Amino acid sequence: MRPTSSRSPALSPAIGGYGFGPFKLYPQARRLFIDNKAVRLGARAFDLLAHLVVHAGEVQSKDALIAAAWPQVIVEEANLRVQLVGLRKALEVHGGHDLISNVPGRGYVFTANVSHLDALIQDEAQRNVPVWGLSPTTRLPGAAAALVGRRNEVNTVVKDTYLRRLVTVAGPGGIGKTSVAVAAARIIAGELSDGAVFVDLSTLATGDLVASAVAAAVGVSVVSGDPLANAIALLQGKHVVLVLDNCDPVLDATVEVVQRILAGTTTPFIVATSREPLRIEAESVHRLPPLASPPEGLDTSLDAAMQFPAIQLFVQRALAIDGAFQLSDDDAPGVALLCRRLDGMPLAIELAAARTAVLGVSELVQRLDDRLKLLKSDRRSGVPRHRTLEATLDWSFQLLGSDEQRMLTRLAIFRERFSLEWALAVAADDAAAGIEALAGLVSKSLISVDASNAMTPYRLLETTRCYAMAKLLASGEGSMIAKRHAFHVCALLGKAVDEIDGLGHGAWREKHAQALDDVRCALDWALAPDGDTALASRIAALSATLWMSTSMLSEYLGYLERLVELDPGTSGDPSLAAQVWGAIGFCRSTLRGPKGEAYDALGRALASAEQSDDLALRLPIHWTRFTADILNGRYADVLSESLAFGEVVKSIADPQADLVFHRMMALSRYFGGAYQDALRHAELAIGPGSNAIGMCAGAPSQLDHRVAALTMMARTLWTLGQFSRALGVAEQARARAVRTRHVTSLIFTLSFASCPISLWCGEIELAANVTDELRDCCVRHGIPFFGSWFTIFDHALELHVEHLAARESFSAVLYTAAHAEMSVTLDPLAVTDDLVRRARDGLCDWCAPEILRSQAHVLLNAGQLSAAQSLLDEGIALATAQGALAWKARLVQTQAEALIRQGREADAAWLMERLTHEFSPADRDILLRRLP
């Protein structure tokens, strides 16, 4: 059996660790350190060490150790010996000699003296745990300044998280929930092997997007109908802390997501921030109190005041604005009063401190008093602290000049980060005045700046943005700014599309992925009743590559379907209609399968494209129908779509499109059983210029062209009996996909070349490696259909390794004819009457000989030798006519098995001897050890 999830030793859920000699072992974090440096151990070796350390001084039987490292899996005792040898060597390298002793006839014992360690790892070197393949945006955000007055709260959150797995840091807006959660998560991540993930839920428009946001943050591309399922599969066994920030706007959806994660995993921890608890049974709620301020009537001298965290925070932020600031004895009482009147709210104190450089403490306190009096007389809704924070924002807004006020309210249209160029284009009427206003807002801490992000360094804090958005709507400028923003987004997308050919896939995506939040905002406005559907169509068409490159197909399809519901003809522009309906067809086919609704959309796309003067618009539509036909096993239609694509290519005289046409023809001829013709087209597709075709705006697929062409060449070579060359070409395709970091291309070549070819060749170690690689990619990125290929290949590996007599059905994963056909090439018992019918009707020529062989295999096992022989003769004739030497070899081998059952060993040997002479020496060796 090939286990696919991590295991943890059967330890008590202790927070701390164990020390022995120079080593420190943290079972909960699955980390071993020596002198503050991590010691690398395999999963099995770590489980064995943890079990031995917990039971130090006690002899542990071999069965107990096997159960600790291989739970619910039967393994040989030799596996235990191998792991123990490796473990001993790893310990000895670091001075841990003779820590594990063998007790003959009884088992093993850990001989070192073991002591318990404190729960928290304090050394900074141990905190910098690498993150498991996540993008830098999913790491914990850096602290803007040292956290003031929250040490006890942070430690409480840390301890409660270990005990309950889920802690919600609750409190009103502006009280510092995010800062405390991040600080606690940073400590927890220091003890965990897989670090931390930060998910900001404040930018989500609806609760429907929570699952997608969490999935994307942990590294799963969001293209499936249930992205969270893929995220849960990836999180299982990961020792990681998830920080879900700003849950309250999408609370119900967040509760559902958290419950599913807790129910579906055993190792991740979750720290959430929200104005109110999630109210989940497993939840530990930590309500964050205000920062302590000097109470009224207490000595407020400078020394006494500085003992209170609220005063410390005020001074810290005032110094950040004005390096010359000093709190004097005279001003200390005023600052104490200010902090009290702000109820110790960190955000309110920071905003007040930002005004100190301009107004001074005395004027600041006076203005604050005026503002609070207005609040008390005018507004009675909401909890007191919320009213205080709102008053602080209102007061801060009133201190701004008119240009700054206008700039702040208009900038609320940006949901995330923005650049100076964007700010001026959308929010400024005059560039010079706009720059001055923006600089003023930055200096007053109403706009945060991330100097490490040169492209989009500016961002409004969410509370400030919400406040400013209310002001924008009240100003009557909301629709005007939203329209200006939408046109700007459209222009930016046009520039981004022009850059695709000049940038690699990864660099282009990294540069432009952050624009998705603004694309969402623009589409939300354009699709609203007072919006602009024509502009929405242009944005939807121009943003296609952005949505696809970030694998946000599910959300993209939602916008597309809203658009065509409002305007099926996309404002009478056939070019836009072709692009929009083509994108709908692609998304529906990828997400929901190549079904009728996908074909309907593609039909509308093609009809619109034919009304347009732009012939190139037809290319991606033909390609999408082509791929859908392959998955459905409609190989005659596959050839028709290829030829139609070729006719368009002739008309537009595009050399790169011509190479894509040859790739399509290679696929068409392969699935039609014309292998020599398929090989010829594959070689033409890998001709001069093929290296330059990557993922580009006009590309009819989101695959690296050369990877895809090499993939089909490898498949064709294997069928022709050139096994060793096929393995080499498949590795070329895989290596290029890895090198270009294009995930979809890697998943494609693993699914259609590396995995099946290595299995067909009997290269089991290679097959196991590439199948595991495919699983990791599919779980992380959640690509439908490709994920099901992994199940098929993994099952084939189990058949080989375990020689299972009772074989599990593939019915759960056979979404299409393509899955069924692949399955039968890996397990004869997967043959069905429908597959036999398709083979005899010429509907699946590429594997028809193998289907006939599989049916013959079933008949042989049933004792029907005559019927089996007839099928074998039929299959050999077909394979010979096709030149499919690989399928012919399998048929002859099964024919030899039939002869042996009849006692005709000599005839069987003669058949095999004659067969092997048709192969080269290298391919003959592979033939003799391949899977039966």
Side-chain angles (χ1 to χ4, degrees):
M1 191 71 70
R2 302 174 61 251
T4 58
S5 62
S6 302
R7 298 147 304 280
S8 297
L11 300 173
S12 61
I15 299 174
Y18 302 88
F20 52 91
F23 297 94
K24 294 179 181 179
L25 175 72
Y26 295 90
Q28 185 79 16
R30 298 184 67 78
R31 302 280 283 173
L32 176 66
F33 294 101
I34 180 170
D35 298 330
N36 294 330
K37 294 182 180 179
V39 178
R40 288 187 173 275
L41 290 178
R44 308 287 190 191
F46 187 93
D47 290 346
L48 289 171
L49 176 61
H51 185 86
L52 287 166
V53 169
V54 169
H55 299 281
E58 303 172 10
V59 177
Q60 296 298 300
S61 69
K62 296 173 182 176
D63 288 343
L65 292 171
I66 289 174
W70 290 271
Q72 301 178 344
V73 178
I74 299 174
V75 299
E76 300 293 333
E77 187 179 313
N79 296 77
L80 174 63
R81 290 197 297 269
V82 169
Q83 291 296 331
L84 285 171
V85 168
L87 177 58
R88 281 169 162 164
K89 287 182 178 178
L91 294 174
E92 288 172 1
V93 167
H94 300 284
H97 299 283
D98 302 324
L99 296 181
I100 303 173
S101 296
N102 175 250
V103 181
R106 296 181 60 195
Y108 296 85
V109 62
F110 195 77
T111 59
N113 293 323
V114 176
S115 61
H116 285 270
L117 301 176
D118 184 78
L120 303 181
I121 303 176
Q122 297 296 340
D123 192 280
E124 198 66 32
Q126 297 177 21
R127 294 184 181 178
N128 296 325
V129 181
V131 179
W132 30 284
L134 301 175
S135 67
T137 57
T138 60
R139 298 178 186 269
L140 294 175
L147 192 60
V148 175
R150 296 300 195 192
R151 180 175 181 178
N152 292 337
E153 286 79 8
V154 169
N155 285 337
T156 298
V157 172
V158 170
K159 293 176 182 177
D160 286 353
T161 303
Y162 279 127
L163 292 173
R164 300 294 295 275
R165 284 189 69 197
L166 168 64
V167 171
T168 299
V169 182
I175 202 166
K177 300 184 295 292
T178 300
S179 298
V180 169
V182 169
R186 186 168 287 110
I187 293 174
I188 297 168
E191 292 193 34
L192 301 181
S193 57
D194 296 311
V197 176
F198 184 85
V199 189
D200 185 1
L201 303 179
S202 65
T203 63
L204 302 185
T206 67
D208 296 339
L209 302 178
V210 173
S212 297
V214 173
V218 302
V220 173
S221 294
V222 185
V223 299
S224 68
D226 185 10
L228 187 62
N230 299 306
I232 289 172
L234 181 62
L235 286 169
Q236 176 58 27
K238 294 294 184 185
H239 296 265
V240 61
V241 56
L242 305 179
V243 179
L244 304 183
D245 195 38
N246 295 303
C247 299
D248 30 285
V250 285
L251 191 64
D252 291 341
T254 303
V255 167
E256 181 181 351
V257 167
V258 170
Q259 287 177 323
R260 286 185 61 187
I261 292 174
L262 292 176
T265 64
T266 57
T267 51
F269 299 100
I270 299 176
V271 177
T273 72
S274 175
R275 288 182 173 85
E276 59 182 302
L278 305 187
R279 296 183 178 88
I280 296 175
E281 184 177 352
E283 178 185 29
S284 175
V285 179
H286 184 80
R287 291 192 176 275
L288 203 57
L291 292 177
S293 304
E296 194 169 357
L298 189 71
D299 174 25
T300 51
S301 65
L302 178 59
D303 290 341
M306 286 300 296
Q307 303 305 308
F308 291 88
I311 307 297
Q312 296 168 13
L313 178 61
F314 182 94
V315 172
Q316 180 198 78
R317 300 310 300 146
L319 277 169
I321 301 297
D322 180 7
F325 174 80
Q326 287 185 338
L327 183 61
S328 66
D329 279 320
D330 291 339
D331 287 335
V335 173
L337 174 62
L338 183 146
C339 291
R340 278 199 307 272
R341 302 295 291 273
L342 293 178
D343 287 347
M345 300 290 287
L347 178 56
I349 292 171
E350 290 184 11
L351 289 170
R355 309 282 86 76
T356 305
V358 177
L359 300 176
V361 173
S362 178
E363 182 73 12
L364 189 64
V365 172
Q366 182 179 350
R367 288 180 177 249
L368 179 61
D369 284 344
D370 293 341
R371 196 61 212 152
L372 288 174
K373 288 177 181 178
L374 288 173
L375 173 67
K376 288 180 180 179
S377 62
D378 293 337
R379 302 183 184 179
R380 304 302 300 169
S381 62
V383 298
R385 290 189 181 92
H386 193 182
R387 296 202 303 269
T388 302
L389 177 59
E390 186 177 2
T392 303
L393 287 168
D394 201 14
W395 158 78
S396 181
F397 184 79
Q398 294 301 326
L399 292 177
L400 300 176
S402 59
D403 286 347
E404 291 175 336
Q405 288 181 344
R406 187 164 47 253
M407 175 65 75
L408 181 65
T409 57
R410 291 177 172 183
L411 288 175
I413 197 69
F414 292 106
R415 292 188 179 179
E416 254 297 331
R417 298 185 178 278
F418 54 90
S419 67
L420 174 62
E421 176 192 358
W422 300 359
L424 296 179
V426 174
D429 297 322
D430 174 77
I435 292 173
E436 185 175 350
L438 184 65
L441 294 173
V442 170
S443 68
K444 295 176 177 65
S445 299
L446 286 167
I447 294 179
S448 62
V449 181
D450 181 0
S452 65
N453 190 331
M455 292 176 55
T456 53
Y458 303 108
R459 180 177 184 267
L460 271 67
L461 296 176
E462 181 57 23
T463 305
T464 307
R465 193 187 79 83
C466 292
Y467 175 87
M469 178 57 75
K471 290 288 186 182
L472 176 63
L473 297 177
S475 71
E477 288 190 337
S479 181
M480 182 267 289
I481 293 300
K483 185 173 184 178
R484 190 186 290 184
H485 174 262
F487 273 103
H488 181 63
V489 167
C490 192
L492 286 176
L493 289 171
K495 293 179 182 178
V497 168
D498 291 339
E499 292 178 356
I500 293 178
D501 290 330
L503 292 174
H505 174 267
W508 187 88
R509 180 180 59 195
E510 183 177 349
K511 180 177 180 180
H512 296 289
Q514 61 193 357
L516 268 180
D517 274 324
D518 286 294
V519 172
R520 293 182 178 107
C521 180
L523 286 173
D524 285 338
W525 172 80
L527 294 173
D530 60 344
D532 183 337
T533 54
L535 182 58
S537 297
R538 292 202 296 275
I539 293 172
L542 288 169
S543 62
T545 303
L546 183 60
W547 293 103
M548 292 175 186
S549 69
T550 53
S551 299
M552 295 288 190
L553 295 189
S554 182
E555 187 178 356
Y556 182 38
L557 180 59
Y559 280 115
L560 292 168
E561 290 182 334
R562 283 173 57 192
L563 170 61
V564 295
E565 184 178 350
L566 293 171
D567 184 7
T570 59
S571 301
D573 186 331
S575 174
L576 283 177
Q579 294 176 73
V580 168
W581 281 107
I584 291 174
F586 176 83
C587 292
R588 285 177 176 174
S589 179
T590 304
L591 293 169
R592 304 170 186 170
K595 302 174 184 177
E597 62 172 2
Y599 281 103
D600 290 344
L602 293 170
R604 299 190 68 154
L606 189 58
S608 297
E610 289 171 349
Q611 297 175 26
S612 170
D613 294 333
D614 189 351
L615 290 175
L617 287 175
R618 304 181 192 181
L619 296 182
I621 302 168
H622 284 305
W623 176 271
T624 305
R625 296 211 309 190
F626 167 85
T627 55
D629 289 338
I630 288 176
L631 288 170
N632 284 319
R634 294 161 54 168
Y635 301 124
D637 293 337
V638 168
L639 180 58
S640 297
E641 293 294 345
S642 300
L643 295 174
F645 186 99
E647 289 301 314
V648 176
V649 171
K650 289 179 184 177
S651 300
I652 63 177
D654 183 343
Q656 290 193 338
D658 190 55
L659 293 174
V660 176
F661 163 69
H662 285 298
R663 170 157 58 102
M664 293 175 71
M665 286 300 297
L667 279 157
S668 302
R669 304 308 288 148
Y670 171 85
F671 285 109
Y675 298 113
Q676 290 294 345
D677 201 20
L679 182 61
R680 180 178 64 84
H681 280 290
E683 289 170 342
L684 290 171
I686 309 174
S690 62
N691 272 319
I693 307 179
M695 189 205 75
C696 55
S701 78
Q702 296 299 311
L703 294 176
D704 180 274
H705 168 78
R706 192 172 180 87
V707 169
L710 288 168
T711 296
M712 291 317 303
M713 174 179 279
R715 280 279 290 263
T716 305
L717 288 170
W718 182 89
T719 310
L720 292 170
Q722 299 180 40
F723 303 144
S724 57
R725 188 180 171 198
L727 286 167
V729 173
E731 176 54 25
Q732 287 181 45
R734 191 197 72 82
R736 177 179 171 87
V738 170
R739 188 169 60 253
T740 58
R741 297 192 301 173
H742 192 205
V743 174
T744 308
S745 297
L746 177 59
I747 291 176
F748 173 78
T749 195
L750 289 170
S751 300
F752 284 89
S754 300
C755 292
I757 290 173
S758 58
L759 284 165
W760 291 336
C761 289
E763 297 286 349
I764 300 306
E765 184 176 355
L766 172 61
N769 290 337
V770 293
T771 300
D772 284 343
E773 187 175 13
L774 174 62
R775 174 189 178 277
D776 289 343
C777 287
C778 290
V779 168
R780 185 176 301 280
H781 298 278
I783 306 294
F785 296 108
F786 290 119
S788 58
W789 297 116
F790 159 75
T791 308
I792 295 172
F793 301 138
D794 192 58
H795 183 78
L797 280 168
E798 288 188 351
L799 293 180
H800 179 85
V801 174
E802 302 294 339
H803 305 290
L804 300 179
R807 303 184 180 184
E808 298 175 4
S809 171
F810 282 137
S811 60
V813 297
L814 298 187
Y815 298 120
T816 65
H819 292 94
E821 291 165 4
M822 175 59 72
S823 298
V824 80
T825 70
L826 298 169
D827 181 0
L829 296 190
V831 71
T832 64
D833 292 340
D834 183 62
L835 282 172
V836 174
R837 178 191 61 79
R838 282 174 55 80
R840 284 184 159 161
D841 290 347
L843 300 179
C844 53
D845 287 340
W846 82 272
C847 61
E850 180 66 1
I851 291 173
L852 297 175
R853 184 192 77 87
S854 296
Q855 183 69 1
H857 177 87
V858 172
L859 294 175
L860 280 176
N861 288 340
Q864 301 179 42
L865 296 182
S866 177
Q869 186 59 58
S870 177
L871 281 171
L872 291 171
D873 290 341
E874 182 181 350
I876 290 173
L878 177 58
T880 301
Q882 293 176 338
L885 189 54
W887 298 139
K888 177 183 175 182
R890 287 186 165 203
L891 284 153
V892 171
Q893 284 185 310
T894 303
Q895 194 173 50
E897 293 171 11
L899 291 173
I900 292 172
R901 295 188 185 202
Q902 300 172 53
R904 299 168 58 186
E905 287 83 357
D907 291 340
W910 178 79
L911 270 181
M912 292 303 298
E913 177 65 23
R914 190 174 66 171
L915 171 67
T916 56
H917 284 300
E918 297 188 54
F919 292 86
S920 69
D923 295 329
R924 191 178 306 141
D925 291 340
I926 295 174
L927 172 69
L928 296 176
R929 67 170 182 269
R930 67 163 181 76
L931 281 171

